Amino acid sequence: MASPSPHHPQTPAVEESHEKDHQPPVRSHTIDVVEHRINSGFNSVKRSFTPRGRKSNLPLEAWATPPHPYHEYIRTLVAAGWNNLQNLDSYLGTHTTQNALVVSVLDISQGSEDVKHWPDIHSELDLKGFLAADNRGGANVRIFAVEYQGTPSPALIETLGGALKLDPRFFQWSINSNSHVFTPSQRHRAPYLTLDFGVLDPSTSSTTDAERFRVLVYIQPGETSNEWTGVILFSSSTKINLSPRILTDPPAFGSELPPPASLEPRTFRELYLKSFRSVDVLHVPASPFYAVSSLFRLNCYCWNEIIAAIRVEDNRIQGISDTSVGHTEEIKKSLTVVQRGGSLGWPGRDEPISKQSQTALEEDFKHLVNQTDLLWQIREKMAAIQRRNADTRWTSLTNAFTYIFAPVTIMTGIYGMNVSQISGDTSNPNIWQFFVAVAIFNAVVVIALSISVWVQIQVKHGRKAGLKEILGYSIGKVGSR
């Protein structure tokens, strides 16, 4: 039986030429009819599964490709020896659903001051169709701002990684895996980086509680020096009341003022998109670092708010408030990224606008690091004072027991049971003499300790202690010495 040749859609003109030739190959005609019916069936199935009111950009041929080519690529790497990708391989084999997915796409062309904002995408299928379509239209820069809650779904990783050919180690960070292995040279030259954010959490009773999340940035250079694609992953949908203009200098008096802007809660993805109103879009194609510099400013602002809240709470309670640790390490890590100009693998690091942004951000982060170090130094001193006060409190408690029981023990040893009220012998002392003796003995002990404290303060501090301070320490009051 002859095998049929690959099917190619035929034009009506070709089909008409077969009818005019009156050739007998009925088998070939039958195969054409069957293939036509199969294609018609595929088309009807495709139409039936396409939601109404939404046009799918995926060509029919895309459904014939392997369902998970990016996962297969990672699985092959694991089998070839990249065991550090094992966690990512296992994660892509799960069926985790994506929560609160929003993908914003920005296009910027060389020499244009306009930023094209595509309609937001809310599903992996629509994102796959968008990536499969030829819709860049000559734009030099395309930025995908992806927002989700927690970790990206396997379908989102498959879609972005396969379409944009991203390094799988980038997604290792996004799933909070600790198995990624980077040497310093690899980490510094990788085209992606991570920023650890902290934002005050108003939903808790503590004013210093902070929600932490990550923002991952991937800059993929294009064919020319001014062409690149950016992928920014926001792992939180938390909203804060913040205007992006607060991170920029206001216009000078007498100059044209911007229109009023409503202050409403926005996610960090929305704040980043709004920040493009305050940047010079003409410099964006030449400098990816300048394009994402507003993320670093947001990062610095949020950490500064947390440090300020901790300082205010410590002052309010005159002590050390309950708060999380690790702020200094994360702020210093952000400073290190700024000092590198983002990543050594990013283009445009030597552009003047990149250097200008880098200098300003480095100054901001160094100041924040100094303020954070100062805060923790103060907290360490306060902790030492609290430990000393605790020791003094314990000593005072011991002294108080001594003042009470030592005279009682001595007087009991002297009198024993030889009091008239107990022994019945009127020749023995009266019981009231016992209590008078105890009180006199206590007074003698307090006076002796007060004289000792007065002498110590005079010798140690070179001043005369007051009666309240001396008696306070003598009877066990903490902090009197």
Side-chain angles (χ1 to χ4, degrees), residues 110-127:
Q110 180 76 28
S112 174
E113 296 183 355
D114 298 328
V115 178
K116 183 178 180 180
H117 187 175
W118 290 83
D120 289 342
I121 301 172
H122 297 274
S123 71
E124 294 91 340
L125 181 61
D126 290 341
L127 178 60

mmCIF file of all heavy atoms in Angstrom, residues 110-127:
data_model
loop_
_atom_site.group_PDB
_atom_site.id
_atom_site.type_symbol
_atom_site.label_atom_id
_atom_site.label_comp_id
_atom_site.label_asym_id
_atom_site.label_seq_id
_atom_site.Cartn_x
_atom_site.Cartn_y
_atom_site.Cartn_z
ATOM 1 N N GLN A 110 13.029 53.125 19.799
ATOM 2 C CA GLN A 110 14.147 54.063 19.808
ATOM 3 C C GLN A 110 13.715 55.418 19.253
ATOM 4 O O GLN A 110 13.087 55.505 18.198
ATOM 5 C CB GLN A 110 15.300 53.491 18.954
ATOM 6 C CG GLN A 110 16.532 54.358 18.877
ATOM 7 C CD GLN A 110 17.347 54.303 20.144
ATOM 8 O OE1 GLN A 110 17.316 53.298 20.847
ATOM 9 N NE2 GLN A 110 18.068 55.361 20.454
ATOM 10 N N GLY A 111 14.045 56.487 19.996
ATOM 11 C CA GLY A 111 13.743 57.835 19.553
ATOM 12 C C GLY A 111 12.323 58.273 19.818
ATOM 13 O O GLY A 111 11.945 59.385 19.445
ATOM 14 N N SER A 112 11.518 57.449 20.458
ATOM 15 C CA SER A 112 10.138 57.809 20.747
ATOM 16 C C SER A 112 9.977 58.045 22.243
ATOM 17 O O SER A 112 10.581 57.361 23.070
ATOM 18 C CB SER A 112 9.184 56.694 20.293
ATOM 19 O OG SER A 112 7.851 56.971 20.691
ATOM 20 N N GLU A 113 9.138 59.023 22.577
ATOM 21 C CA GLU A 113 8.855 59.317 23.983
ATOM 22 C C GLU A 113 7.579 58.639 24.464
ATOM 23 O O GLU A 113 7.176 58.827 25.615
ATOM 24 C CB GLU A 113 8.729 60.829 24.184
ATOM 25 C CG GLU A 113 10.009 61.600 23.894
ATOM 26 C CD GLU A 113 9.848 63.075 24.171
ATOM 27 O OE1 GLU A 113 8.721 63.502 24.496
ATOM 28 O OE2 GLU A 113 10.849 63.817 24.064
ATOM 29 N N ASP A 114 6.965 57.860 23.605
ATOM 30 C CA ASP A 114 5.727 57.181 23.949
ATOM 31 C C ASP A 114 6.011 55.766 24.449
ATOM 32 O O ASP A 114 6.949 55.101 23.992
ATOM 33 C CB ASP A 114 4.786 57.108 22.745
ATOM 34 C CG ASP A 114 4.377 58.495 22.259
ATOM 35 O OD1 ASP A 114 4.284 59.395 23.116
ATOM 36 O OD2 ASP A 114 4.169 58.662 21.044
ATOM 37 N N VAL A 115 5.191 55.322 25.376
ATOM 38 C CA VAL A 115 5.257 53.962 25.897
ATOM 39 C C VAL A 115 3.945 53.272 25.552
ATOM 40 O O VAL A 115 2.875 53.705 25.974
ATOM 41 C CB VAL A 115 5.489 53.950 27.419
ATOM 42 C CG1 VAL A 115 5.496 52.514 27.936
ATOM 43 C CG2 VAL A 115 6.787 54.653 27.779
ATOM 44 N N LYS A 116 4.028 52.215 24.759
ATOM 45 C CA LYS A 116 2.829 51.479 24.369
ATOM 46 C C LYS A 116 2.512 50.444 25.434
ATOM 47 O O LYS A 116 3.317 49.545 25.711
ATOM 48 C CB LYS A 116 3.035 50.801 23.017
ATOM 49 C CG LYS A 116 1.793 50.067 22.521
ATOM 50 C CD LYS A 116 2.022 49.451 21.148
ATOM 51 C CE LYS A 116 0.769 48.729 20.655
ATOM 52 N NZ LYS A 116 0.960 48.121 19.329
ATOM 53 N N HIS A 117 1.339 50.557 26.026
ATOM 54 C CA HIS A 117 0.901 49.630 27.076
ATOM 55 C C HIS A 117 -0.192 48.739 26.499
ATOM 56 O O HIS A 117 -1.301 49.195 26.234
ATOM 57 C CB HIS A 117 0.400 50.413 28.290
ATOM 58 C CG HIS A 117 0.096 49.547 29.461
ATOM 59 N ND1 HIS A 117 -0.283 50.047 30.695
ATOM 60 C CD2 HIS A 117 0.104 48.188 29.617
ATOM 61 C CE1 HIS A 117 -0.486 49.053 31.529
ATOM 62 N NE2 HIS A 117 -0.262 47.919 30.898
ATOM 63 N N TRP A 118 0.119 47.472 26.329
ATOM 64 C CA TRP A 118 -0.849 46.522 25.811
ATOM 65 C C TRP A 118 -1.891 46.205 26.881
ATOM 66 O O TRP A 118 -1.648 46.381 28.067
ATOM 67 C CB TRP A 118 -0.144 45.229 25.389
ATOM 68 C CG TRP A 118 0.725 45.364 24.172
ATOM 69 C CD1 TRP A 118 2.006 45.816 24.140
ATOM 70 C CD2 TRP A 118 0.387 45.046 22.827
ATOM 71 N NE1 TRP A 118 2.503 45.803 22.868
ATOM 72 C CE2 TRP A 118 1.522 45.330 22.027
ATOM 73 C CE3 TRP A 118 -0.753 44.552 22.207
ATOM 74 C CZ2 TRP A 118 1.537 45.126 20.654
ATOM 75 C CZ3 TRP A 118 -0.736 44.341 20.826
ATOM 76 C CH2 TRP A 118 0.398 44.637 20.073
ATOM 77 N N PRO A 119 -3.048 45.736 26.486
ATOM 78 C CA PRO A 119 -4.040 45.311 27.492
ATOM 79 C C PRO A 119 -3.476 44.209 28.385
ATOM 80 O O PRO A 119 -2.749 43.329 27.922
ATOM 81 C CB PRO A 119 -5.211 44.805 26.640
ATOM 82 C CG PRO A 119 -5.064 45.510 25.322
ATOM 83 C CD PRO A 119 -3.603 45.669 25.101
ATOM 84 N N ASP A 120 -3.794 44.281 29.649
ATOM 85 C CA ASP A 120 -3.279 43.307 30.604
ATOM 86 C C ASP A 120 -3.767 41.903 30.275
ATOM 87 O O ASP A 120 -4.887 41.703 29.792
ATOM 88 C CB ASP A 120 -3.696 43.678 32.025
ATOM 89 C CG ASP A 120 -2.964 44.915 32.528
ATOM 90 O OD1 ASP A 120 -1.926 45.265 31.932
ATOM 91 O OD2 ASP A 120 -3.418 45.522 33.512
ATOM 92 N N ILE A 121 -2.931 40.935 30.553
ATOM 93 C CA ILE A 121 -3.211 39.524 30.290
ATOM 94 C C ILE A 121 -3.418 38.832 31.629
ATOM 95 O O ILE A 121 -2.674 39.070 32.584
ATOM 96 C CB ILE A 121 -2.046 38.883 29.509
ATOM 97 C CG1 ILE A 121 -1.827 39.617 28.178
ATOM 98 C CG2 ILE A 121 -2.293 37.405 29.274
ATOM 99 C CD1 ILE A 121 -0.590 39.173 27.436
ATOM 100 N N HIS A 122 -4.419 37.934 31.697
ATOM 101 C CA HIS A 122 -4.776 37.333 32.974
ATOM 102 C C HIS A 122 -4.764 35.808 32.951
ATOM 103 O O HIS A 122 -5.250 35.185 33.894
ATOM 104 C CB HIS A 122 -6.167 37.812 33.410
ATOM 105 C CG HIS A 122 -6.238 39.293 33.645
ATOM 106 N ND1 HIS A 122 -5.897 39.876 34.846
ATOM 107 C CD2 HIS A 122 -6.595 40.312 32.815
ATOM 108 C CE1 HIS A 122 -6.052 41.191 34.766
ATOM 109 N NE2 HIS A 122 -6.481 41.481 33.544
ATOM 110 N N SER A 123 -4.227 35.192 31.916
ATOM 111 C CA SER A 123 -4.146 33.732 31.897
ATOM 112 C C SER A 123 -2.918 33.308 31.109
ATOM 113 O O SER A 123 -2.433 34.047 30.226
ATOM 114 C CB SER A 123 -5.410 33.120 31.271
ATOM 115 O OG SER A 123 -5.458 33.357 29.876
ATOM 116 N N GLU A 124 -2.420 32.107 31.421
ATOM 117 C CA GLU A 124 -1.238 31.601 30.713
ATOM 118 C C GLU A 124 -1.551 31.332 29.241
ATOM 119 O O GLU A 124 -0.685 31.505 28.382
ATOM 120 C CB GLU A 124 -0.736 30.322 31.387
ATOM 121 C CG GLU A 124 -0.197 30.515 32.790
ATOM 122 C CD GLU A 124 -1.272 30.348 33.851
ATOM 123 O OE1 GLU A 124 -2.471 30.462 33.496
ATOM 124 O OE2 GLU A 124 -0.929 30.107 35.019
ATOM 125 N N LEU A 125 -2.791 30.927 28.941
ATOM 126 C CA LEU A 125 -3.148 30.644 27.552
ATOM 127 C C LEU A 125 -3.129 31.922 26.714
ATOM 128 O O LEU A 125 -2.600 31.933 25.594
ATOM 129 C CB LEU A 125 -4.530 29.993 27.503
ATOM 130 C CG LEU A 125 -5.039 29.612 26.105
ATOM 131 C CD1 LEU A 125 -4.108 28.595 25.473
ATOM 132 C CD2 LEU A 125 -6.455 29.062 26.179
ATOM 133 N N ASP A 126 -3.683 33.000 27.248
ATOM 134 C CA ASP A 126 -3.641 34.262 26.513
ATOM 135 C C ASP A 126 -2.212 34.771 26.368
ATOM 136 O O ASP A 126 -1.845 35.346 25.344
ATOM 137 C CB ASP A 126 -4.492 35.311 27.222
ATOM 138 C CG ASP A 126 -5.975 35.009 27.121
ATOM 139 O OD1 ASP A 126 -6.342 34.240 26.232
ATOM 140 O OD2 ASP A 126 -6.756 35.539 27.943
ATOM 141 N N LEU A 127 -1.390 34.564 27.403
ATOM 142 C CA LEU A 127 0.012 34.977 27.317
ATOM 143 C C LEU A 127 0.748 34.168 26.251
ATOM 144 O O LEU A 127 1.560 34.717 25.489
ATOM 145 C CB LEU A 127 0.684 34.800 28.674
ATOM 146 C CG LEU A 127 2.177 35.142 28.739
ATOM 147 C CD1 LEU A 127 2.425 36.595 28.374
ATOM 148 C CD2 LEU A 127 2.735 34.839 30.120
#
